[in-house]
Amino acid sequence: MYRGTTPIHTITFDEEVDLSEWQQIWVTYKSRSAERTFEKRELVINEENSSIQIIFTQEDTLKFKNSDTCDIQLRFLKTNGKAGTTNIISGYPIGRILKDGVIE
């Protein structure tokens, strides 16, 4: 992911995962310099193909520092009260940019 860009990350689950049972979802990106957690209302959820999309704004990606790395983890709460999580993805790279700031 490059700073100042608007990437879309997609998480795809096995077909047996029923996303309609997930009452709340949090996807957290955390580095030494910044942290951004996306909540269910901010995500694009496709129950048909068991996927979740995380859509970043320029402001989101600019919170991270050049050449940093971040960790990523998804947590969820089901309608039956059961909570779950994914493994942490470590060392996801943040790409450098030369011109800083939001571009319009």
Side-chain angles (χ1 to χ4, degrees):
M1 169 170 65
Y2 285 92
R3 295 181 66 247
T5 63
T6 56
I8 298 173
H9 291 179
T10 302
I11 301 170
T12 304
F13 300 92
D14 293 333
E15 291 177 9
E16 64 267 8
V17 173
D18 186 357
L19 295 177
S20 69
E21 295 177 350
W22 293 18
Q23 173 180 311
Q24 188 52 276
I25 305 168
W26 301 269
V27 182
T28 301
Y29 291 74
K30 185 174 183 175
S31 72
R32 290 180 302 244
S33 61
E35 181 177 327
R36 173 67 163 100
T37 296
F38 294 85
E39 297 184 17
K40 184 177 181 178
R41 61 181 166 73
E42 300 173 279
L43 305 171
V44 177
I45 299 168
N46 186 330
E47 293 176 8
E48 190 173 300
N49 72 359
S50 297
S51 70
I52 294 172
Q53 288 188 322
I54 303 100
I55 302 171
F56 287 83
T57 64
Q58 289 184 65
E59 292 84 0
D60 290 330
T61 58
L62 284 167
K63 291 177 183 176
F64 298 97
K65 301 287 185 208
N66 272 338
S67 300
D68 205 350
T69 62
C70 70
D71 296 335
I72 306 166
Q73 186 175 43
L74 180 144
R75 295 191 65 202
F76 60 90
L77 179 65
K78 290 185 172 185
T79 53
N80 65 4
K82 302 253 185 213
T85 189
T86 63
N87 292 330
I88 296 172
I89 298 170
S90 296
Y92 186 79
I94 307 297
R96 289 183 341 124
I97 57 171
L98 299 178
K99 179 182 177 5
D100 206 9
V102 172
I103 53 176
E104 298 180 57

